[in-house]
Amino acid sequence: MEKERKLIIAGNWKMNKNVAEALDLIQGLKRELVQVKEVDMVVCPPFTALSEVSKQILDSNLRLGAQNMSEHSGGAYTGEVAAMMLKEFSVRYVILGHSERRQYQKESDELISKKALAAHAVELKPIICVGETLAELEGGKTEQVLATQIRGSLAGLTKEQMGETVIAYEPVWAIGTGKTASTEQAQGAHAYIRSLIAKQFDDTVARRVRIQYGGSVKPANARELMSQPDVDGALVGGAALEVRSFADIIKNSI
Ligand code: PGA
């Protein structure tokens, strides 16, 4: 399948896997995916496994991502991790503004944009998550919510930085629920997000930005979702925790 943009499929392990389990998963993924060149493949383990995983994937086609970072570059921020600290482990990507953080840690679009700027300052590529809740979907507010989140969380980025940013469209009602957006729903939301980026930046940037779909992505629905013109990859939660399912999502997407 010839796509305009290279697919990027990332596994968000969330708060799962100790170091031994993480290394097991990585060994399996390396074995299964050694031939894959068509997709940018990213694993996002918890902070505690970044060091060991980073050593294990040095000689592979897997890239490393983190699940969060501080908006500050250092100092008296107990419990926080700075972008530069992630760079020490060859982290290339960082998930920002995941709906779980928006919900449980009350992360705002303004905070997410500060984090995105801090990530770009050290050449880490942010994966910025947006998406509506079930109540917002049912209230017909999807576009309004996406417009607010995109405007706020991408505020202050240069065109160049935007081109190096990944967006993950994750309808909150589809995360971990087994409910997936229909391919039409996903394509519609992705095309809308791209139009917002074109307005906020320009057409060239909008054409370049990769927009992942996230929310109950499985081997069985990956091919259809990835075949949509504006779906440029996936952010995978539950199905990224097993070698078989994550590898099959990637193979089914090619
Ligand atoms: P899920 O999670 O694939 O388990 O629905 C996706 C995510 O939260 O990124």
Side-chain angles (χ1 to χ4, degrees), residues 12 14 98 100 170 174-176 215-217 235-238:
N12 172 13
K14 307 191 180 181
H98 188 278
E100 286 149 16
E170 300 205 301
I175 296 178
S216 298
V217 175
L235 184 54
V236 184

